[in-house]
Amino acid sequence: MQEEFVVWYLKLRGIEYAECIQPVALPREDVNALGVKYRRIPIMSIGRDIYCDSRLILEKLEEKFPSGKLGATQPEQKALEKVLEQWTINGGVFNRAAQLIPPEMPLLNDPKWVKDREDYTGRSWAKSDISKTRPEALAHMREFFELLESTILADDRHWILNTEKPTLADIHAIWPFHWLSGMKDALPPSIFGKDHFPGVYSWIDRFQKALESAEESAPKVTRLKGAEAVKFITQVEFADPDGNVDDKDPLGLKKGQDVESWPIDSGFTHRDRGQLVALTRQEVILKTQAKLGHRDIHIHHPRTNFRIRAVDDNGGSKL
């Protein structure tokens, strides 16, 4: 789901890129070959820097391609953009949206996929359990739809920040609603019909048309096979210079120290480990080695919803 809004961003910006499609469930041998344990997709490579987490990816794209960026410029707009980013992922929207996957979905008949989802989320994906949680998820999702309908979109604006074109705020806000609206039987019309939330659905329709228009003029995507992608990444240079470790950071870690980092909201059983290259308020950077070619790779994780710990002499985490 989150890989979609990174692709949306690239299309809307007209940024040329290559992609290497990964399996929907583990194992992902191409990612493993890079020495990356992080299990969520997408990940992004610019040189031998590997960026994990969709929000960090968008931040890096805004930073590295500033001309024509989609992010807000005014303080109050920046605040709303950030609030919406946090709301959809940390505020319950994403979690409740995932609970609305219909029990009839064919993938739920695949034991391998179900086991993979359970490993990823730490909860049951049995059809009976999905059916039990569905009414509560519908109630919460109706509240989320109503919030957009009755506040931000209540004045008939076309875009979240009342701009002429969609911005980063729209991308952060729309993706769970766009995803659910296109999923058969996810949202019952008696509760989520277009007559109930006309503003939200009009916004989704406009966004889809904007994507289709952008795709017509966007550069052609280069599609790589796994071995091609890994070889290319491991043969180029780093995109980011070595950073610094904040000596005032509460964790008290030191540059060059062996650490591990992992998400704590989902995919938390897969931890990246390496030497600490940089630690800022926004991200942590670890140095590890790709399995192919044994060249150094820098793995970037955001700080939000990630845990970072020093590794002791026996290879375990220090509390």
Side-chain angles (χ1 to χ4, degrees):
M1 176 181 353
Q2 294 181 33
E3 63 272 17
E4 283 192 339
F5 72 74
V6 172
V7 173
W8 292 347
Y9 178 92
L10 292 166
K11 287 181 180 179
L12 291 171
R13 289 289 311 276
I15 296 173
E16 187 174 3
Y17 68 99
E19 69 178 10
C20 177
I21 302 299
Q22 295 300 297
V24 295
L26 297 181
R28 299 189 178 111
E29 299 299 344
D30 308 325
V31 178
N32 291 338
L34 289 171
V36 177
K37 302 298 184 184
Y38 177 84
R39 64 146 296 160
R40 301 193 300 213
I41 50 175
I43 60 175
M44 178 180 73
S45 160
I46 302 180
R48 279 188 283 143
D49 287 274
I50 309 295
Y51 304 96
C52 304
D53 190 274
S54 297
R55 291 169 292 182
L56 179 62
I57 289 171
L58 295 190
E59 287 177 9
K60 290 295 179 178
L61 288 170
E62 288 275 287
E63 173 189 309
K64 293 183 176 299
F65 301 92
S67 179
K69 66 181 183 178
L70 300 181
T73 57
Q74 300 301 314
E76 63 274 16
Q77 292 184 337
K78 286 183 177 180
L80 180 56
E81 177 184 285
K82 181 58 70 172
V83 167
L84 290 169
E85 174 195 317
Q86 296 294 325
W87 178 58
T88 49
I89 295 182
N90 300 328
V93 181
F94 170 58
N95 183 48
R96 294 301 183 178
Q99 291 175 347
L100 291 178
I101 292 176
E104 300 79 19
M105 190 176 77
L107 274 174
L108 288 169
N109 295 319
D110 181 349
K112 179 182 176 182
W113 188 82
V114 170
K115 185 177 185 301
D116 181 79
R117 292 297 89 187
E118 291 177 338
D119 173 74
Y120 173 65
T121 61
R123 65 175 176 85
S124 169
W125 278 70
K127 289 184 180 182
S128 57
D129 292 323
I130 290 175
S131 296
K132 288 177 184 177
T133 59
R134 183 171 171 80
E136 183 176 289
L138 286 170
H140 281 82
M141 190 55 61
R142 180 176 59 181
E143 181 182 351
F144 300 144
F145 267 77
E146 181 61 36
L147 186 146
L148 291 172
E149 185 76 26
S150 63
T151 58
I152 300 173
L153 301 175
D155 60 1
D156 296 324
R157 65 180 60 195
H158 280 194
W159 307 112
I160 291 292
L161 299 182
N162 209 11
T163 49
E164 294 182 0
K165 297 179 180 180
T167 67
L168 192 56
D170 292 283
I171 294 175
H172 282 312
I174 205 170
W175 63 272
F177 301 93
H178 185 285
W179 180 63
L180 285 175
S181 69
M183 186 186 302
K184 184 181 178 182
D185 298 329
L187 299 173
S190 60
I191 303 174
F192 293 93
K194 291 189 177 183
D195 56 330
H196 291 87
F197 303 106
V200 175
Y201 283 106
S202 294
W203 174 51
I204 293 172
D205 289 343
R206 279 192 300 274
F207 188 80
Q208 182 60 36
K209 289 175 182 176
L211 287 175
E212 292 169 1
S213 177
E215 189 168 13
E216 290 177 1
S217 58
K220 184 178 180 180
V221 178
T222 300
R223 309 199 190 283
L224 300 176
K225 294 182 179 180
E228 293 176 312
V230 173
K231 182 178 179 181
F232 178 81
I233 292 168
T234 54
Q235 288 182 347
V236 295
E237 298 302 318
F238 290 111
D240 285 347
D242 274 6
N244 297 311
V245 173
D246 181 2
D247 58 5
K248 294 183 174 60
D249 191 273
L251 297 182
L253 299 172
K254 304 297 182 183
K255 191 176 181 70
Q257 191 171 359
D258 287 335
V259 300
E260 58 182 10
S261 173
W262 68 97
I264 57 175
D265 52 354
S266 62
F268 34 73
T269 58
H270 297 256
R271 304 182 179 190
D272 282 303
R273 180 174 292 192
Q275 288 186 347
L276 185 61
V277 173
L279 184 67
T280 69
R281 295 180 182 182
Q282 290 76 36
E283 67 177 329
V284 56
I285 306 175
L286 312 181
K287 181 174 73 174
T288 187
Q289 280 194 339
K291 294 180 180 179
L292 179 65
H294 303 288
R295 297 200 72 191
D296 288 345
I297 294 289
H298 286 178
I299 300 174
H300 298 242
H301 288 173
R303 296 295 299 267
T304 301
N305 283 340
F306 275 70
R307 183 163 292 148
I308 310 159
R309 284 183 176 166
V311 176
D312 61 28
D313 295 337
N314 295 320
S317 294
K318 293 181 179 178
L319 297 177

